[in-house]
Amino acid sequence: MAFCRLPAWSSQTVRWFPKAAVSCWPWESAMAFPHLQQPSFLLASLKADSINKPFAQRCQDLVKVIEDFPAKELHAVFPWLVESIFGSLDGVLVGWNLRCLQGRVNPVEYSTAMEFLDPSGPMMKLVYKLQAEDYNFDFPVSCLPGPVKASIQENVLPDSPLYHNKVQFPPTGGLGLNLALNPFEYYMFYFALSLISQKPMPMSLHVRTSDCAYFTLVDRYLSWFLPTEGSVPPPLCSSPGGSSPSPAPRTPAMPFASYGLHTSLLKRHISHQTSVNADPASHEIWRSETLLQVFVEMWLHHYSLEMYQKMQSPHAKESFTPTEEHVLVVRLLLKHLHAFANSLKPDQTSPSAHSHATSPLEEFKRAAVPRFVQQKLYVFLQHCFGHWPLDATFRAVLEMWLSYLQPWRYAPEKQAQGSDPQPRCVSEKWAPFIQENLLMYTKLFVSFLNRALRTDLVSPKNALMVFRVAKVFAQPNLAEMIQKGEQLFLEPELIIPHRQHRLFTVTTSFLSPWPPVVTDASFKVKSHVYSLEGQDCKYTPMFGPEIRTLVLRLAQLITQAKQTAKSISDQYVESPSGRSFLSWLTFGLTDTNSCYPANDLDEIGQDSIRKTDEYLEKALEYLRQIFRLSEAQLAQLTLALGSARDENGKQQLPDCIVGEEGLILTPLGRYQIINGLRRFEIEYQGDLELQPIRSYEITSLVRALFRLSSAINRRFAGQMAALCSRNDFLGSFCRYHLTEPALSNRHLLSPVGRRQVTNPARGPRLSLRFLGSYRTLLLLLMAFFVASLFCIGPLPCSLLLVLGYVLYAVAMTLLTERGKLHQL
C-alpha cells in the first residue's frame, strides 16, 4: 500500500496515511471535492510552498500542477508565477535572479531553472495551455520604455505592431492604461524587461554575463523561435497523449508593408478590433515575430527618433542608461539575427524570389533586420557613443556595433573561410546591406573618432579598441563599398519644374517625360539617411576632407602614444624591480618627480606596453589603408614628434606656443597633460623641511619631529655654525649632517627658460624628519627583532646601530671631501 506525507505548511501533526485515505496534495483533494474549493486555494498553496520548500522541490511541484490542472485554474496562478520568476517590474522583487545564477556556482539550481524555463519546458507548456483558451492578462503601460509610454499616454499609437489592438482604456476612476496581452506576450514582456528593470549587479559580485542563466535563456529562445535551419517548432502538447490546438494570437500579424504607420488612439479605439480575414499561413511565425518585437522594443526603444532628429544628439533628457550586461545581451540578439537572416537559401535572396510564393518565415527573415531593428538600434548606438563613460567598459558597445556591421561573419559560407588567416575580401553581395545601413558605418565611425581623440591611447585597453575598429574597416573592399554608398547618397537629384519636383521624388518615372537619374540604389540610400536624420540633415562624408583631418589627428596621437609607451618601457628597463626594492629600504626621501602619471601600464607591466605598441602600430597601418594615407604623411608625423625629444630620449614639454608671459598650452597640449602623454618636469625647489607630507610618512610624527628639530636649531644655532666653519675633519663631519646641498647644484626648471633666482641662505640645522617615515621605523623594528634572536637587548642594539651609522657617516664624509678636491 502506498503512503504519502502531509505538506510542510500543514499545522497538523505529521503522520503516515494510506494513499486511499488521503490525497498527497491539498489541490488534489480540492479537485476531488470541487464544492469545497475556493477560487484562490491553489494560488495560496503555491505561495506558501514558495516560502517553505527548497527551490528544486518547488519546481517539481509546479511541473505537476501544470500537467494536472486545467487552464481555468492555472489562469489565476500565471501572473504570480511569472513575477516570482522574473521579479517585479519595479525591481523590488528579484525573483529567481536569473542574471546572477551560474552553473559553476549553483549547478543544481541552474539546471533546474533551465529545464523549467526551456522553450520546450514546463513553463512554456503552461503558456501554450493558456494560449489555447484565449486568456488575456493586463500589463501596465507605465512599465513600458519611455517613448512608448509617452506615445500611448498622448493617445498616439506606437509604430510597432506589437501594441496594435492591445491598449485598454481605464474605466472611470481607473488607475491607468493597460495592455491586454495573450500569455505568450505577457511572458516575453516580463522576460525581456527583467534585464533592465532589476537593479544593476554590485561591483563586488563578479558575474560573467555569458555564463548566467538569463543570457543562456536568451540564446535558447532565439535559436528556438528564430531558427537558422528548418522551421519554428510547433507548440508543445499540454497533456500526455493529447494534442492542444495550435495557439494563435487574437489578431493576426500585420502585413510587413504596413509597419511604421502612426494612428491616433482617439480616432481608432483599438481595444475591440478584430480581423476576420486572417491569413492562416501567418500563424506559423507569430511567435517568432512577437519574440523579436518584444526584445527590440524592451531593449532598444528607450530613445525617441523624433527627439534625436530635433536635437541632432541622443535624447539627453531621458534618464535610461544601459548597462554593460544590457549591451552584451543586445549583441547576442544582433549576432543571431544576422545568422537568421543569412540562413535564406541563395535562390531565396535574389530579387526574383519576391515574385514567387514564399513562406511567411522566409519573408520574415528578409524583413527582420531592416523593418524591426535598424532604426531603433541606430538611435540606441548614437546615445551610447555620445554618453558612455570614456573608459574600458565601452568595449561592449564597440563590439555590439562591429557585430552589426559585419553580417558576413555570420553567413553560412563563413565556416569555409575559417582556416584562412588572411582577411577575405568583402563580397559585392553585401553592398545593398552597406548602402541601406550607411549611417551605421559612416556617422558612427565619426562618433568613434571623436571618442578616440579624447581617450588615453597609451592604455592597452583603449589601444585595443582603436585597433579593433581600424581592423574591421580595413577589410578588403569594405571602404570602397562605403565610399560607393556615399556617392549614391550625394548624387544630385534630377532638375525638373518646381511644382513636380516633390511628387517626382516619391513616385515612379511615368509622371515625367524624362528618364530618372536617381537610381534604385540611390533612392534606398537617401531614404535610409533621411528616415534617420531628417530631410534637412547635413551629411559629412566619411572620406571627405573634414573627416580626413580628424584621422590625421588621430594618427598623430597614435604616434605620440607609441613614443610615450616606449619611454615608459625604457624607464622600466632603467629602474628594475630589484633596484626599486633597495631604494625603498633607504633612509632618504623618495624622488617623486621622476615617475609618469598613473595609468594601467604601471599596474600591468612590460607585457602590456608591448601589446599597446603592437595594437597602435597595426591600427596606424589600417588607417593608412582605409583613407589611403601616404607614407610621406605618416613619416612627417613621426619626424615632427621625434624632434620634440631631448638627448635622453624623454619627452619634453607638452605642445605649447610662446606668448608674452611665457609658454601657453594649446588644445593638443592640454590633451597630452590630461592623458599623461607629456608633462612639465616639476621639482620641489623650496625648503625640504617644509615640503608636503608624503604618503609614506606619519603625519603627526613628522610634525612633532619638526617642532623638536626647530627648537634644537634655535637653541644651538651658534654652536652648529661654529662647528661647520672649521676646516678640519670635525667640520667636514658636521657639514655633511647639518647643511643642505648647495642650491646651485640643484636643477632650477622653468618652462620659459632658466632665470636667476635669489634664494635665502640657510645656516646649519638638524633634520629629524627621516624618523617619521614608515620604512625607517620598520627597519628599526626589524633590527631589534634580529638582535633579539641573538640575545642582544634593546640598549646594546641601539649602541651598535649608532656605532654602525657613525662609521658610515665617516666614510661618506671622506668620500665627499675627496670629491670636492677633485672638482677643484
Side-chain angles (χ1 to χ4, degrees), residues 64-96:
K64 184 175 178 61
V65 169
I66 293 171
E67 290 289 341
D68 295 346
F69 277 76
K72 182 178 180 181
E73 307 298 335
L74 297 173
H75 170 252
V77 175
F78 184 67
W80 167 82
L81 181 58
V82 170
E83 185 178 68
S84 66
I85 294 174
F86 301 123
S88 58
L89 296 174
D90 56 6
V92 175
L93 302 178
V94 297
W96 290 3

Side-chain angles (χ1 to χ4, degrees), residues 24-268:
C24 289
W25 303 104
W27 47 78
E28 292 182 3
S29 301
M31 291 181 66
F33 304 97
H35 62 280
L36 300 177
Q37 184 175 1
Q38 297 179 3
S40 60
F41 183 74
L42 175 61
L43 178 59
S45 301
L46 292 174
K47 287 183 178 180
D49 287 348
S50 67
I51 301 175
N52 300 320
K53 289 189 177 183
F55 178 73
Q57 183 61 42
R58 298 202 311 265
C59 289
Q60 292 178 8
D61 294 348
L62 287 171
V63 172
K64 184 175 178 61
V65 169
I66 293 171
E67 290 289 341
D68 295 346
F69 277 76
K72 182 178 180 181
E73 307 298 335
L74 297 173
H75 170 252
V77 175
F78 184 67
W80 167 82
L81 181 58
V82 170
E83 185 178 68
S84 66
I85 294 174
F86 301 123
S88 58
L89 296 174
D90 56 6
V92 175
L93 302 178
V94 297
W96 290 3
N97 202 11
L98 298 174
R99 295 164 54 239
C100 298
L101 185 60
Q102 300 182 85
R104 57 185 178 85
V105 179
N106 306 101
V108 177
E109 290 82 353
Y110 179 86
S111 59
T112 303
M114 296 303 296
E115 290 176 5
F116 188 80
L117 300 175
D118 190 80
S120 60
M123 189 63 188
M124 205 55 73
K125 289 182 180 179
L126 172 60
V127 170
Y128 296 144
K129 199 171 188 177
L130 296 173
Q131 187 82 30
E133 301 296 333
D134 199 24
Y135 282 108
N136 298 334
F137 299 92
D138 289 340
F139 189 91
V141 171
S142 59
C143 297
L144 295 175
V148 179
K149 177 175 61 177
S151 178
I152 295 177
Q153 290 175 346
E154 294 172 1
N155 297 325
V156 177
L157 186 66
D159 57 355
S160 173
L162 182 66
Y163 307 104
H164 294 185
N165 303 336
K166 295 181 176 66
V167 179
Q168 288 187 328
F169 292 97
T172 305
L175 297 179
L177 293 168
N178 289 312
L179 297 180
L181 304 179
N182 63 45
F184 186 81
E185 294 167 342
Y186 188 83
Y187 177 82
M188 286 302 170
F189 266 65
Y190 258 89
F191 175 74
L193 277 175
S194 65
L195 176 64
I196 57 180
S197 62
Q198 301 297 316
K199 296 179 181 179
M201 291 180 290
M203 298 296 295
S204 58
L205 185 61
H206 300 287
V207 178
R208 186 172 179 177
T209 302
S210 58
D211 294 337
C212 69
Y214 188 88
F215 190 90
T216 307
L217 276 175
V218 172
D219 186 46
R220 290 190 183 182
Y221 288 156
L222 290 173
S223 301
W224 185 275
F225 295 107
L226 302 176
T228 56
E229 296 181 1
S231 59
V232 182
L236 304 171
C237 296
S238 59
S239 60
S243 61
S244 61
S246 177
R250 296 185 309 280
T251 56
M254 294 189 65
F256 291 110
S258 66
Y259 293 160
L261 300 179
H262 293 268
T263 309
S264 172
L265 297 181
L266 297 178
K267 294 181 180 178
R268 188 169 69 120

Side-chain angles (χ1 to χ4, degrees), residues 312-590:
Q312 284 300 304
S313 64
H315 195 346
K317 293 183 179 180
E318 295 192 39
S319 59
F320 179 79
T321 302
T323 62
E324 187 175 359
E325 178 192 16
H326 179 183
V327 170
L328 291 174
V329 174
V330 172
R331 186 191 178 211
L332 174 65
L333 171 65
L334 297 179
K335 291 166 65 176
H336 189 87
L337 281 177
H338 278 321
F340 177 67
N342 292 334
S343 63
L344 280 171
K345 297 178 182 179
D347 56 341
Q348 297 171 345
T349 57
S350 61
S352 60
H354 293 270
S355 59
H356 302 290
T358 57
S359 69
L361 181 62
E362 294 168 359
E363 197 67 32
F364 181 54
K365 288 182 179 182
R366 239 180 242 110
V369 174
R371 300 279 178 90
F372 292 100
V373 179
Q374 184 193 74
Q375 174 183 316
K376 295 179 177 65
L377 177 64
Y378 175 73
V379 180
F380 182 82
L381 283 171
Q382 279 284 19
H383 182 274
C384 291
F385 273 68
H387 293 80
W388 201 277
L390 291 172
D391 56 19
T393 61
F394 185 72
R395 175 78 186 279
V397 178
L398 189 78
E399 294 298 336
M400 174 181 66
W401 172 50
L402 296 180
S403 295
Y404 183 79
L405 297 186
Q406 303 176 86
W408 46 87
R409 290 185 57 193
Y410 312 101
E413 62 267 19
K414 189 254 180 184
Q415 281 74 17
Q417 303 175 2
S419 59
D420 190 359
Q422 296 295 328
R424 292 207 173 232
C425 179
V426 180
S427 173
E428 285 292 335
K429 78 172 189 177
W430 299 108
F433 178 87
I434 295 172
Q435 294 167 6
E436 294 170 13
N437 291 271
L438 184 64
L439 292 177
M440 292 284 194
Y441 290 89
T442 58
K443 190 160 186 178
L444 290 179
F445 179 83
V446 176
S447 299
F448 175 76
L449 271 182
N450 291 323
R451 284 186 63 94
L453 292 172
R454 293 179 289 152
T455 55
D456 178 13
L457 299 183
V458 183
S459 166
K461 296 177 181 178
N462 293 333
L464 175 60
M465 287 191 281
V466 175
F467 161 73
R468 288 283 297 123
V469 173
K471 181 180 180 181
V472 168
F473 278 82
Q475 294 177 86
N477 199 37
L478 178 57
E480 289 76 6
M481 286 194 286
I482 295 174
Q483 195 167 10
K484 174 63 176 177
E486 290 192 322
Q487 292 172 356
L488 290 173
F489 173 73
L490 298 174
E491 278 185 359
E493 306 241 358
L494 183 64
I495 301 177
I496 57 178
H498 177 73
R499 61 181 181 179
Q500 297 181 1
H501 173 73
R502 187 173 185 83
L503 183 63
F504 178 80
T505 57
V506 295
T507 55
T508 52
S509 60
F510 70 84
L511 295 178
S512 172
W514 302 294
V517 174
V518 180
T519 63
D520 181 61
S522 176
F523 177 77
K524 289 182 178 180
V525 175
K526 293 176 187 291
S527 299
H528 157 69
V529 174
Y530 292 146
S531 65
L532 294 179
E533 293 291 330
Q535 292 286 340
D536 300 328
C537 71
K538 296 181 179 179
Y539 182 79
T540 304
M542 175 177 167
F543 294 93
E546 185 176 343
I547 306 304
R548 188 180 183 87
T549 302
L550 289 179
V551 172
L552 288 174
R553 185 180 170 192
L554 178 61
Q556 184 181 22
L557 293 180
I558 289 176
T559 306
Q560 290 178 347
K562 287 179 58 182
Q563 294 181 353
T564 302
K566 186 177 184 304
S567 298
I568 298 176
S569 177
D570 295 341
Q571 186 180 21
Y572 274 106
V573 174
E574 295 170 4
S575 302
S577 58
R579 180 176 169 184
S580 300
F581 177 75
L582 292 176
S583 65
W584 187 86
L585 295 177
T586 59
F587 286 91
L589 296 173
T590 300

